[in-house]
């Protein structure tokens, strides 16, 4: 079976479908991997298409790089997502952060959702990325590590506590032209 044009006919049908595959969006690629690239059989048992099950470079198990400078590829990123977000949940549970604090509620929802998605798709990092919609799985791990740093700061500063308004002077509608702080040094230099 040949295809029009000298390029496509010289490389055969597998090249043609590989080129089409590379033009598809990530979601379309997932559907294509599940539906098109698996051999399709007629009821009489004759294959319509014959594709190899080779690893496609750059996708799924063929991924060797994140394409992001400073963020290396991690073959265990999906399991690391589970570990990092579980550590975040454990840290919050061991702290005195109230369960009703909005920060805790939001972080727990995100962490539990990402853990659930990673546990449902342990061998499919592309599906985890598509369902989380927050970058590559390696980025999800980094986000969990960053959130742990924010949580530590949040706990250290006890940011969930209300500030007593009587102890704080709040200046409403400040006029920056009336602010004379730092003006002394400038006046001395101009003399």
């Amino acid at each position: 079976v040949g295809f029009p044009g000298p390029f496509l006919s010289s490389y055969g049908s597998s090249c043609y479908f590989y080129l089409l595959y590379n033009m598809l969006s990530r979601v379309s690629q997932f559907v294509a991997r599940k539906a098109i690239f698996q051999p399709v059989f007629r009821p009489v048992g004759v294959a319509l298409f014959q594709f190899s099950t080779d690893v496609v470079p750059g996708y799924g198990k063929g991924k060797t790089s994140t394409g992001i400078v400073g963020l290396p590829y991690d073959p265990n990123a999906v399991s690391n997502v589970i570990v990092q977000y579980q550590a975040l949940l454990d840290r919050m549970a061991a702290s005195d952060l109230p369960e009703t604090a909005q920060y805790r509620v939001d972080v727990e929802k995100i962490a539990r959702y990402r853990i659930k998605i990673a546990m449902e798709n342990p061998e499919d990092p592309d599906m985890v990325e598509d369902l989380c919609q927050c970058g590559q799985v390696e980025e999800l791990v980094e986000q969990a590590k960053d959130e742990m740093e924010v949580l530590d700061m949040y706990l250290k500063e006890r940011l969930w506590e209300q500030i007593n308004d009587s102890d704080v002077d709040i200046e409403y509608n400040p006029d920056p032209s009336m602010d004379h702080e730092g003006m002394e040094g400038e006046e001395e230099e101009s003399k």
Side-chain angles (χ1 to χ4, degrees):
V1 175
F3 290 94
F7 175 75
L8 293 177
S9 63
S10 64
Y11 289 100
S13 62
S14 63
C15 180
Y16 176 74
F17 285 105
Y18 183 74
L19 291 173
L20 282 177
Y21 177 75
N22 283 331
M23 290 187 279
L24 299 173
S25 70
R26 286 182 67 93
V27 173
S28 299
Q29 287 174 9
F30 174 76
V31 172
R33 280 195 307 272
K34 298 296 181 192
I36 297 173
F37 288 121
Q38 295 178 3
V40 178
F41 294 96
R42 292 184 183 191
V44 294
V46 178
L48 291 176
F49 298 106
Q50 190 173 23
F51 296 102
S52 67
T53 57
D54 294 340
V55 174
V56 178
Y59 298 103
K61 294 183 181 189
K63 182 177 176 181
T64 58
S65 171
T66 61
I68 301 172
V69 176
L71 185 61
Y73 164 70
D74 181 5
N76 300 316
V78 176
S79 62
N80 287 339
V81 166
I82 297 168
V83 168
Q84 292 295 325
Y85 279 103
Q86 189 59 52
L88 196 60
L89 290 173
D90 293 344
R91 177 79 169 101
M92 280 191 288
S95 70
D96 57 348
L97 179 63
E99 291 183 13
T100 58
Q102 192 61 48
Y103 173 74
R104 180 173 179 164
V105 170
D106 294 339
V107 171
E108 282 181 347
K109 282 182 183 178
I110 292 168
R112 285 194 177 106
Y113 177 75
R114 291 182 180 177
I115 289 171
K116 180 182 127 206
I117 295 301
M119 291 179 81
E120 289 174 356
N121 303 286
E123 298 297 322
D124 194 355
D126 290 335
M127 180 58 82
V128 174
E129 293 168 2
D130 290 341
L131 292 173
C132 288
Q133 293 292 312
C134 285
Q136 299 179 36
V137 286
E138 291 86 358
E139 289 178 287
L140 295 175
V141 172
E142 289 300 313
Q143 289 170 19
K145 290 177 182 177
D146 292 343
E147 196 64 52
M148 184 64 85
E149 291 178 18
V150 172
L151 178 62
D152 288 340
M153 182 268 311
Y154 196 84
L155 295 171
K156 178 183 172 200
E157 300 295 329
R158 303 186 63 83
L159 295 176
W160 64 89
E161 294 178 347
Q162 294 289 331
I163 297 174
N164 188 352
D165 290 339
S166 63
D167 296 341
V168 179
D169 292 329
I170 300 174
E171 183 179 337
Y172 296 97
N173 299 321
D175 183 3
S177 65
M178 302 301 291
D179 185 11
H180 297 290
E181 290 181 9
M183 300 287 281
E184 297 84 29
E186 293 175 12
E187 290 174 5
E188 292 175 7
E189 291 175 6
S190 62
K191 288 183 183 179

